[in-house]
């Protein structure tokens, strides 16, 4: 097996979804020889350019230094098997799939911990990146390479990456649903989501500064039962199923006092 080079000059991206387009576009602008591979040959308009994907069956893994699988989690084992053994380092971008899902000897993970929406243009250099590799040499290689391209990197095992992904869903995906519910409650009033932005931002800053338990406030913390009942009645007018969630969170806060 040839010794790995000190950089990944040729990067092949498998997948043409949000993550695949964003990271491939970023690496291309960083000066890497980047190619995209998908199910078929097609042109995709992306930001200020047109991305031409190559059919995966035409992937020549032997000429690549780094192959990044930006496919859905369920497809990772099959795509890895299709690529087969190669001198290139093969990594996936999943937060929930262990690197053992890859059949290659040189394998790992390159997890971008950020919400990426379709058509959104983000500063990829500022996206936190969590790395893992099966071989120590590849871990060092990935870290050295990542330091040249990203501002925040960290080595993380598959088990801890799964915990991080769960935290992301709790804070980001579920948090966004709370904002959607708030937006519904505000409909027809003089209130807007921007009215809660200062509180929302301060809540996060204070939790980072003091810790979530120490920074907890609110009616459940104070034992304001009349206020809790008013909130529950208001929720019943919008989404009765959220009343049970409100009760469970309130009970958790009360139990932590």
């Amino acid at each position: 097996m040839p010794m790995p080079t000190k950089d990944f000059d040729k990067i092949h991206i498998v997948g043409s979804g949000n993550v695949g387009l964003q990271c491939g576009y970023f690496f291309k602008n960083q000066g890497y020889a980047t190619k995209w591979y998908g199910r078929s040959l097609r042109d995709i308009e992306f930001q200020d350019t047109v991305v031409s994907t190559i059919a995966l069956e035409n992937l020549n893994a032997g000429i690549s230094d780094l192959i990044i699988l930006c496919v859905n989690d369920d497809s990772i084992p099959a795509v890895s098997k299709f690529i087969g053994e190669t001198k290139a380092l093969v990594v996936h971008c999943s937060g929930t799939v262990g690197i053992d899902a890859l059949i290659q000897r040189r394998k790992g993970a390159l997890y971008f911990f950020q919400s990426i929406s379709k058509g959104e243009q983000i500063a990829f250099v500022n996206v936190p990146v969590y790395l893992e590799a099966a071989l120590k040499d590849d871990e060092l290689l990935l870290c050295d390479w990542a330091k040249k391209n990203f501002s925040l990197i960290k080595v993380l095992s598959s088990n801890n990456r799964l915990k991080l992904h769960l935290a992301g869903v709790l804070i980001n995906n579920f948090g966004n649903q709370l904002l959607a519910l708030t937006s519904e409650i505000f409909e027809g009033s003089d209130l807007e989501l921007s009215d809660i932005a200062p509180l929302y931002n301060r809540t996060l800053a204070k939790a980072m500064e003091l810790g979530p338990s120490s920074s907890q406030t609110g009616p459940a913390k104070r034992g304001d039962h009349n206020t809790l009942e008013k909130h529950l009645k208001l929720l019943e007018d919008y989404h009765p199923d959220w009343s049970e969630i409100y009760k469970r969170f309130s009970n958790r806060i009360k139990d932590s006092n």
Side-chain angles (χ1 to χ4, degrees):
M1 179 76 62
M3 288 297 292
T5 59
K6 293 184 178 180
D7 207 346
F8 302 116
D9 295 325
K10 300 182 182 68
I11 299 177
H12 290 175
I13 308 291
V14 178
S16 54
N18 295 336
V19 176
L21 290 174
Q22 287 276 4
C23 77
Y25 184 79
F26 170 74
F27 292 136
K28 186 174 183 179
N29 286 341
Q30 292 289 92
Y32 294 96
T34 307
K35 292 183 178 180
W36 285 267
Y37 292 84
R39 293 189 182 93
S40 60
L41 175 65
R42 64 187 181 123
D43 292 334
I44 304 172
E45 292 186 7
F46 181 73
Q47 295 185 16
D48 59 353
T49 188
V50 174
V51 174
S52 296
T53 64
I54 305 169
L56 181 58
E57 62 190 33
N58 295 321
L59 171 65
N60 184 354
I63 64 171
S64 179
D65 299 313
L66 176 65
I67 300 175
I68 306 176
L69 308 187
C70 301
V71 299
N72 65 62
D73 292 355
D74 292 343
S75 299
I76 289 173
V79 174
S80 172
K81 185 177 180 180
F82 179 84
I83 293 172
E85 189 56 74
T86 173
K87 69 179 182 65
L89 175 58
V90 179
V91 300
H92 66 62
C93 299
S94 172
T96 63
V97 177
I99 62 174
D100 288 343
L102 303 172
I103 69 165
Q104 287 75 22
R105 176 175 174 270
R106 297 187 63 205
K107 58 188 174 184
L110 188 66
Y111 179 43
F112 305 106
F113 191 57
Q114 186 56 273
S115 174
I116 302 176
S117 300
K118 187 175 182 179
E120 181 184 21
Q121 186 170 356
I122 63 174
F124 227 72
V125 67
N126 296 323
V127 173
V129 179
Y130 293 86
L131 311 173
E132 184 182 11
L135 304 178
K136 189 63 178 180
D137 285 347
D138 283 333
E139 179 185 301
L140 295 174
L141 181 64
L142 263 180
C143 286
D144 288 343
W145 168 78
K147 288 175 183 177
K148 301 174 186 176
N149 297 285
F150 303 99
S151 58
L152 178 60
I153 67 167
K154 187 174 183 178
V155 176
L156 205 63
S157 69
S158 293
N159 286 338
N160 285 330
R161 194 170 65 253
L162 176 59
K163 293 178 182 178
L164 181 65
H165 188 274
L166 172 59
V169 170
L170 293 175
I171 298 301
N172 180 51
N173 302 143
F174 292 174
N176 196 61
Q177 279 301 300
L178 290 173
L179 290 174
L181 175 63
T182 301
S183 184
E184 286 186 40
I185 294 173
F186 282 179
E187 283 182 7
S189 72
D190 294 329
L191 295 167
E192 299 177 351
L193 275 182
S194 58
D195 289 315
I196 67 167
L199 174 64
Y200 196 77
N201 294 333
R202 178 56 185 155
T203 297
L204 179 59
K206 194 163 58 170
M208 295 297 106
E209 178 184 347
L210 304 176
S213 297
S214 298
S215 63
Q216 183 70 62
T217 61
K221 180 75 173 179
R222 297 188 299 268
D224 291 340
H225 300 294
N226 288 337
T227 299
L228 294 174
E229 289 301 321
K230 289 179 181 179
H231 288 173
L232 287 170
K233 186 176 184 304
L234 187 59
L235 278 172
E236 287 286 347
D237 295 335
Y238 291 91
H239 288 286
D241 52 325
W242 278 91
S243 296
E244 184 60 33
I245 297 174
Y246 184 97
K247 289 177 185 177
R248 293 195 178 195
F249 272 108
S250 295
N251 288 336
R252 179 177 172 84
I253 293 171
K254 286 188 284 187
D255 291 343
S256 66
N257 286 343

